[in-house]
Amino acid sequence: RYSFDVSEVILPLLTKHHGRLVKKTGDGVLAIFHSVVDAVNCAGQLQGCPSIAANDTVINRPKLTYRVGIHLGDILIEDDDVYGNEVNVATRLEALASPGGLAVSGAAYWNVKGRTSIDFEEIGFLRLKNIPEPIQVYQAGGQALPKPENNQSLRIGAAENGNAGSERQLGAKQHIWSESRSHQPEIIVLP
């Protein structure tokens, strides 16, 4: 039932933006790119970002509503699969994205800033499940990624067949760090 999206929408976009389908994951896909700019532009076109859609040819629209997470880093390629912490970060970012949304790590953002027509807004530094360090997260402009208050759990809705499904919780406590003057340090360095 998902073959239309993969064969008619996703594969042509991957080819156009020099990406490679690694595997199908249920109703999703895992893809890799040689360029993070290509990855962001591909995701932007898939998600219908106005700045990309206005400047490009019309594509078939997916039947499902997808979430997209993009991270930049080294990966291990083995037996037609990819592994590594960087894949885990991208997976966590995908889970944070709103249905039809796009979330990118700070590493990806700083490499595409000024090189793509998609506007991003910073969410802050988030602690992601099974990732040791907080990751700086950005979302494509105009999309609604939940902004939790400090020390509150981050809850997101799961998308199923294009509709918002039941809420799920990602980890016990998610923290967000901002660069505002009102931010109070949470780490103390002692000699």
Side-chain angles (χ1 to χ4, degrees), residues 99-150:
L102 167 60
V104 301
S105 68
Y109 169 77
W110 290 107
N111 278 275
V112 301
K113 183 179 179 185
R115 299 175 64 200
T116 182
S117 59
I118 299 174
D119 294 322
F120 289 94
E121 51 190 56
E122 183 180 15
I123 299 305
F125 285 83
L126 299 179
R127 284 215 174 269
L128 305 177
K129 183 179 176 184
N130 296 329
I131 306 298
E133 299 294 322
I135 301 293
Q136 189 176 24
V137 179
Y138 290 82
Q139 70 180 356
Q143 297 175 348
L145 185 69
K147 292 185 180 183
E149 297 295 323
N150 282 342

Side-chain angles (χ1 to χ4, degrees), residues 4-64:
F4 170 81
D5 282 354
V6 174
S7 63
E8 300 295 321
V9 179
I10 294 173
L11 285 178
L13 279 175
L14 290 176
T15 301
K16 178 180 178 182
H17 294 283
H18 315 290
R20 180 172 72 101
L21 177 68
V22 175
K23 65 181 173 182
K24 297 177 194 174
T25 57
D27 59 355
V29 296
L30 176 63
I32 58 175
F33 295 80
H34 290 288
S35 163
V36 70
V37 174
D38 284 338
V40 168
N41 286 337
C42 181
Q45 191 171 12
L46 174 71
Q47 301 297 58
C49 291
S51 55
I52 294 285
N55 298 328
D56 219 331
T57 58
V58 176
I59 63 161
N60 291 326
R61 298 303 317 147
K63 291 183 178 181
L64 295 177

